[in-house]
Amino acid sequence: MKFVAEGLIVALMACGVAQAEKLTPERVFADPDLSGPIARGVKVSPDGSAVTYLRAKADDQRMTDLWIADVKGGDPRLLIDARALAPKDKVLSEAEKSRRERQGVQTRGVVDYAWDDQGRFILVPVEGDLFLYRLKGGRIAQLTQTPGDEIDAKVSPKGAFVSFVRDDNLFVMPSAGGAERALTTGGEELKSWATAEFIAQEEMSRPTGYWWSPDEAKIALTFVDQTGVDVVERLDVNAVGATIVRQRYPRVGRPNAKVELYVADVATGARTKVDLGAESDIYLARVAWAKDGKTLYVQRQSRDQRRLDILAVDPATGAAKVILTETSPHWVDITDDFKPLKDGTFLWSSERSGNRHLYLYEADGTLVRQVTQGAWPVDVLEGVDEARGVAIFGASKDSPVERRIYEVSYKAPAEPNALTSAGGWWRVDVAQSGKAFAATYQDPRTPPQTGFHKADGTRVRWIEENKLAAGHPYQPYAARLREPTYGTIKAADGQDLWWSMRTPPGFDPAKRYPVIVQVYGGPAGALVSKVWKSPEDQLMLEAGYILFSLDNRGTPNRSVAFKTAIDRRMGKVEVEDQLAGVAHLASLPHVDPARIGITGWSNGGYMTMMVLTADNSPYAAGVAGAPVVDWSLYDTHYTERYMGTTADNAAGYAAGEVTARLGKLKPGVLMIMHGMADDNVTFDNSTKAMAALQASGTTFELMTYPGLRHRAGWTQANRLHRARTTLDFFERKLKPTAAP
């Protein structure tokens, strides 16, 4: 009976697959978004009474509006219609374009917003101008209408002011209405006030250059001098014509921007310089105010990133003292886990135990106690409930492929209590009080769903249920949705390498299939996790490929030993691990080892080219998107963190350079893709590879995209073309048989 039942189930599944619709490239990149109405930029109002979020328009998934849902119930409602406010054909300033690129913003309309701490106002930038929404009365007022763009806009803590940066100067204006006032003057592109320099935005996750004090009397702000940073002349090639951009790009071993910190009096504009120490070649990592506003905390990172100091600053004099220091023989990561508490203590995370964990300190930096511990890392300190003495954090405690939300007492630490269920991936925004949170859950069969939860994790209501059911955009294709299987293999040092695999619809284990390996492999991200996958992936599955990913050593959300295995040798252990993954693939009876391809973007493009040029490479084809080919062409903070400089690690740079290995590349197996206005992985990375391949007579294929950057600005049409081009290349090289 058992075998009869299994046969019946297989027959029914095959019938379901046959009847379901097949996804096409045209549908994947059409509206509405196949993943459904996902809530993005989710924030709980300061009083915990509502949840706000961004939602894409049904007829244009590249334009987002602002929505709100009341905790007590009722349907979510539209607050800000971006189309009604956004000026037609508005051309953003280069500063705003760059800011969006740094933050990975790929939509337009309402792309950001901010509450005041009292929950009375929402400040909404729309395509360069500012609007203020007052919850009482539901009124919206336009605050600015200027030729320039107002960027990095904020509401002051008590809601009396709105602040923003325009033309490299900081402005404030009354939120109730009135004239703007320049708090700084004389700022210009190379000497700017209250801005985050390129490195801070791109690599340090610090998008701002100013911070309000809790009483609104002062603002801490940066002064950035880029005059010593090298000019990299970058040609932005567009559909019609080209522009030479003289970009200040700090490459490995070269000068960074000089950053100073001041405290400005909001009433008078008078400024006090903060003493950041005698060494000027440092990174200003983070800035935060104490709850009472009497102390300004500054995180200062050394140029080699092996030391990070927390300074306690007297805002009246600028005098500073070091209260805590973290050191590492590898590097000290920057986080947002510093949390000042009302009683003067603070929470902090450290990797000193071999995994990132939370610690409680006195105001002077004296350790009170370790709060979490174990053979797993804390990911992010999400919030604090000071009334209960509880820290709320996210972690992959049970498995690197899942993420849950936990709480733990920092007064009497015990085993953390899970607030969310297992089985997928959770993200949260915690209310200021810590007594509630908005949580978004997803797994391979569940598109991102957002709900409002009480402190104990109980869901109060849906914000965006986004249920994969009748009426959902993906429902006609759901029967062909392929879930991953997960497993591990051992790295050379014995550490676990997690992998995921998806098979095509109608998979027959008796047959042999071609494989496409999707790779990133860098410290900025992991691919193997229980999340909702991009519908674009289904196109490869429908074409008849198995999809495989492996997170090599050096990828995040793991132990210090796992992450730092790449120290001073990028391109070595990652390649070893990816080759071990391919060896595992080749051992499977349903894999054709002669038809394995690989593709990735950015660091994934680098990994693609590195494994294609390995000795006796087992890959038959690869598509490398926006690849780094020479780490000396990349920026300081990212590259020096893992590789040092070319002066102190010449052998490591030489071993990790793609162009030095291109003589091993088989003819015709590589396609390079790159945006021709990329200001992150600049286009000369690809041109260097092209020249080397042409000089050696090695054939390759190329697809360039005029006017496009690394992430931002890619339209649905651009993405459709990229997908079709990738599919066409692999079809010619790997000869798949389309799924039935």
Side-chain angles (χ1 to χ4, degrees), residues 460-480:
V460 176
R461 65 155 297 170
W462 286 114
I463 303 301
E464 280 287 2
E465 185 177 8
N466 195 20
K467 187 176 182 180
L468 186 51
H472 191 281
Y474 202 92
Q475 181 57 27
Y477 315 98
R480 298 180 69 85

Side-chain angles (χ1 to χ4, degrees), residues 606 627-634 646 653 656-659 685 688:
Y606 169 71
V628 176
V629 303
D630 179 351
W631 284 113
S632 69
L633 297 178
Y634 204 56
T646 52
Y653 275 87
E657 184 182 342
V658 171
T659 48
N685 278 272
K688 184 174 183 178

Side-chain angles (χ1 to χ4, degrees), residues 71-133:
V71 169
K72 292 181 179 179
D75 292 336
R77 62 187 188 279
L78 178 66
L79 274 190
I80 305 292
D81 182 345
R83 192 170 283 152
L85 299 180
K88 293 183 179 179
D89 303 320
K90 172 68 181 286
V91 178
L92 296 174
S93 66
E94 186 62 28
E96 179 63 3
K97 288 179 182 177
S98 296
R99 179 179 169 82
R100 293 189 182 192
E101 170 63 33
R102 305 284 78 78
Q103 295 180 334
V105 174
Q106 300 188 37
T107 59
R108 55 199 173 91
V110 182
V111 300
D112 193 15
Y113 65 98
W115 285 89
D116 72 305
D117 284 357
Q118 280 66 47
R120 296 173 296 171
F121 316 124
I122 303 175
L123 181 63
V124 184
V126 179
E127 302 301 294
D129 287 318
L130 302 180
F131 297 81
L132 193 71
Y133 183 90

